[in-house]
Amino acid sequence: CIVSLDAKTGEMRWYHQTTPHDVVSWDVCWSTILAEIEVEGKRRKVVIAGTKGNYVYVLDPETGRPIYSPVRVGYNTTQLNANLGDRADMLLSLKPGVYSPGHGGGINAALAVAYNTIYVSSHKMEQRAEWEDGTYRGAPMRVMKLTNTDSPHFSSISAIDASRGEIKWSYFIPTFYHGSGLVVSGEVVYGVDSTGMLYMLDTENGALIRKEALGGAGSTGVSIAATTDGEMRLFVSVSGR
C-alpha cells in the first residue's frame, strides 16, 4: 500500500492498496514523490510512486484516489493489480505459473519528474511460481517457490505524460537495470545500468544523446555539480561486481 500519515499525530489519513496479498515482492519501492503537475489545464499536487509489478500510481494527496488509472510500463506477462484503494483484499493472490516481472524485476529504482513528465526505469525478469508445503514458526503453510527461467533479461526507460497518464516513449536497454535512480536536468535523462553503462537520453523523445561505459557495476544515480571554476560535471559511482 501507499500510506498517508498525519505528520503531527502519526495517525493514518488514507492508504491505497496496489497489490493484494503480495507474495512475490511487487511492493511499492524506492522513493515516493510529492510533485505538482498540470492536469486538464490546472496545476495540482500529486503523490507519485512505482511498484515492482511495473505500475506507476499518481494519487490525490488528500484522498489517496487515483488521478487516472495506474500506468503500466516495461515487459509484462502477468497482471495482478486490483487497484482497490482503501478496499484491501487479502484473498486475491498470484496463481502458480510463469510470470514477469519476477522477484527483483519491475520498477526497481527511483523515478524522476520534470517537464510535466514522469521518467521510470523497468527491468524484465521472468520467473516460475509454484506452491509447495512449508512451515512458518513451526506451523505448516503453503509457500511460494520462485525459480528464474532461461528468458533473457533486458530493461527500459520510459516517459509518461503526467497530465494524461500515457506513455510518450520508451528506450530499450539490453542489460539489467537496478537501483540507479533516474536524474533529469537540462532536458537530459541520466541513467546507469548494472554493467556501469551511463545513458543520456533526450527528455522529449527518448533519443540517445550519448552513452559511456564506466568500467564497473552501476547501482546509484548521477549527481550534478559545478567545479570551483564553475564548470558543470557529472559524478557517478560504480563498483566491482
Side-chain angles (χ1 to χ4, degrees):
C1 291
I2 301 167
V3 180
S4 173
L5 302 179
D6 187 305
K8 294 181 179 179
T9 66
E11 294 180 357
M12 184 168 64
R13 300 175 66 232
W14 53 259
Y15 65 88
H16 188 99
Q17 186 186 40
T18 62
T19 306
H21 194 183
D22 181 21
V23 294
V24 292
S25 186
W26 281 348
D27 48 292
V28 181
C29 61
W30 304 89
S31 57
T32 298
I33 298 174
L34 304 179
E36 190 172 285
I37 62 174
E38 184 174 308
V39 181
E40 297 180 348
K42 297 181 180 179
R43 302 293 296 180
R44 62 182 304 173
K45 296 179 180 180
V46 293
V47 176
I48 301 172
T51 76
K52 295 178 187 176
N54 268 343
Y55 284 97
V56 175
Y57 285 80
V58 181
L59 308 178
D60 185 302
E62 296 298 326
T63 64
R65 296 188 180 93
I67 304 300
Y68 38 70
S69 296
V71 183
R72 200 164 203 200
V73 299
Y75 177 86
N76 306 281
T77 59
T78 307
Q79 183 165 335
L80 183 63
N81 179 66
N83 194 30
L84 293 174
D86 59 0
R87 294 171 286 109
D89 189 334
M90 294 300 290
L91 298 178
L92 291 173
S93 183
L94 186 74
K95 297 179 180 179
V98 176
Y99 67 96
S100 183
H103 174 75
I107 300 171
N108 222 327
L111 289 67
V113 180
Y115 315 121
N116 214 50
T117 303
I118 303 166
Y119 299 92
V120 56
S121 64
S122 171
H123 173 63
K124 183 255 185 179
M125 176 184 286
E126 188 176 80
Q127 290 180 326
R128 184 179 305 278
E130 300 172 286
W131 288 113
E132 63 180 15
D133 293 333
T135 59
Y136 179 70
R137 295 183 177 179
M141 68 175 296
R142 290 199 307 166
V143 297
M144 183 71 80
K145 178 183 178 182
L146 306 174
T147 307
N148 289 347
T149 71
D150 295 330
S151 178
H153 293 207
F154 54 81
S155 306
S156 63
I157 295 175
S158 300
I160 301 170
D161 186 323
S163 62
R164 298 193 300 271
E166 299 174 354
I167 296 177
K168 297 169 60 176
W169 55 258
S170 291
Y171 180 85
F172 176 80
I173 296 175
T175 50
F176 188 87
Y177 195 106
H178 181 277
S180 176
L182 296 177
V183 174
V184 180
S185 180
E187 300 181 351
V188 178
V189 182
Y190 298 94
V192 186
D193 74 4
S194 294
T195 70
M197 183 67 74
L198 168 63
Y199 290 90
M200 298 171 243
L201 308 178
D202 187 298
T203 55
E204 184 60 31
N205 54 29
L208 178 66
I209 298 171
R210 181 180 175 183
K211 62 181 181 179
E212 188 80 23
L214 302 178
S219 60
T220 62
V222 171
S223 295
I224 303 174
T227 67
T228 54
D229 296 327
E231 295 190 10
M232 300 306 297
R233 294 285 188 269
L234 299 179
F235 297 89
V236 192
S237 61
V238 294
S239 68
R241 287 317 233 166

